[in-house]
Amino acid sequence: MTGETSLGTVRQLWRYPASSLAGEPLDAISIGTTTVDGDRLFGLVDASDGEIARPDRSPKWHKVPLIRTRLTQDRRLEVAVPGGDWLPAPDPESDRAVSAFLGFAASILPFGKENAASDYTGPLTAARYAKAPIHLLTTASLARLKALHPEGVPDPRRFRPNILIDMKAVDGSFPETEWIGRKLAIGDLLLTVSEPCRRCGFTIIAQDGFDNDPGILRNVVRHNAHNLGVYCTVDRPARVAIGAPMRFV
């Protein structure tokens, strides 16, 4: 690899143990050949018909991102509704808490047997889309969105990156969108920027600390062809920690 000036450093690292629920911030993540270890292992479904949560499509799911998630050291899921305690999931008690919070019967289920605990014998569900590769976002793009939409709150939680890179703002640019095809080194991790991340209605939804805001998506659509952040494929897996430098290769 050739040496180049650092573009920035890792500010935040996230995994999302349950699709559409709040992510789990971590000091370090292990990234394999296709995704982050522990990412999107479970889904939330409507218990009446098996419909999987779609906060981007239906208001009935808009409170889902307020439900916190974490994985224990033995890779078991725990969830907590606002004001509630951490509860194991899948489990009848956590399903009751989630259902009471949402206002209808809902259940957390593993995406396939391979994601369930060895002693789990309950039902399974299937992911509604293929698991994405690594999602990378820069603070420079968030700063550009803030400049376009000053009254908005472009919190990274709206966009659910795995890796948030702290880098200087680039005037008039969402910089990572221009990196398609380039290779990045983040510590020992080697990535190829494969495609822009097309945004959906999830970005509009209120979460803890910010309100519902259609202007977020409106400005992304208008000024960056519907995209914010990028997907990356993994050329060399590694463990990455906050503070790791990022550079072009």
Side-chain angles (χ1 to χ4, degrees):
M1 296 186 297
T2 59
E4 289 194 24
T5 303
S6 173
L7 295 167
T9 58
V10 175
R11 175 183 284 191
Q12 294 179 5
L13 294 165
W14 295 84
R15 67 181 174 192
Y16 304 89
S19 184
S20 297
L21 279 67
E24 179 182 17
L26 297 169
D27 292 332
I29 55 176
S30 294
I31 298 176
T33 55
T34 57
T35 191
V36 174
D37 181 51
D39 201 57
R40 294 174 172 87
L41 307 179
F42 301 87
L44 176 67
V45 302
D46 185 325
S48 68
D49 58 9
E51 176 196 6
I52 196 158
R54 291 293 303 265
D56 59 321
R57 294 285 181 89
S58 173
K60 82 183 227 182
W61 299 111
H62 278 186
K63 294 167 68 176
V64 168
L66 295 170
I67 303 171
R68 293 181 294 157
T69 66
R70 68 185 184 189
L71 288 180
T72 64
Q73 288 190 340
D74 59 355
R75 295 176 63 83
R76 292 177 184 262
L77 177 66
E78 294 181 335
V79 301
V81 301
D85 296 328
W86 288 102
L87 299 171
D91 185 87
E93 186 178 3
S94 56
D95 282 355
R96 284 192 292 270
V98 169
S99 299
F101 175 63
L102 295 177
F104 60 90
S107 185
I108 295 173
L109 302 176
F111 286 143
K113 183 62 178 174
E114 67 275 13
N115 294 325
S118 59
D119 57 354
Y120 179 76
T121 59
L124 306 170
T125 191
R128 61 180 172 87
Y129 53 80
K131 188 179 290 186
I134 303 305
H135 176 203
L136 182 143
L137 179 64
T138 69
T139 59
S141 282
L142 297 178
R144 172 63 176 154
L145 181 54
K146 181 67 174 179
L148 292 166
H149 183 42
E151 65 275 26
V153 181
D155 191 289
R157 289 174 293 161
R158 291 190 185 275
F159 308 104
R160 298 172 73 82
N162 298 116
I163 303 173
L164 178 67
I165 297 293
D166 191 3
M167 65 176 287
K168 292 181 180 179
V170 180
D171 188 42
S173 176
F174 296 91
E176 65 269 32
T177 310
E178 302 169 7
W179 300 345
I180 307 303
R182 300 204 67 170
K183 291 186 182 294
L184 300 171
I186 306 176
D188 293 326
L189 178 70
L190 185 60
L191 303 172
T192 297
V193 183
S194 57
E195 61 182 304
C197 184
R198 185 175 175 84
R199 308 319 314 198
C200 68
F202 191 102
T203 61
I204 293 172
I205 299 170
Q207 295 185 48
D208 185 22
F210 53 85
D211 296 328
N212 194 74
D213 183 4
I216 293 287
L217 184 57
R218 186 181 304 121
N219 279 278
V220 170
V221 171
R222 180 179 302 157
H223 297 283
N224 203 40
H226 231 295
N227 302 313
L228 191 74
V230 289
Y231 290 131
C232 303
T233 56
V234 180
D235 300 314
R236 184 175 64 212
R239 185 171 175 82
V240 175
I242 287 177
M246 185 181 78
R247 60 184 174 84
F248 288 129
V249 176

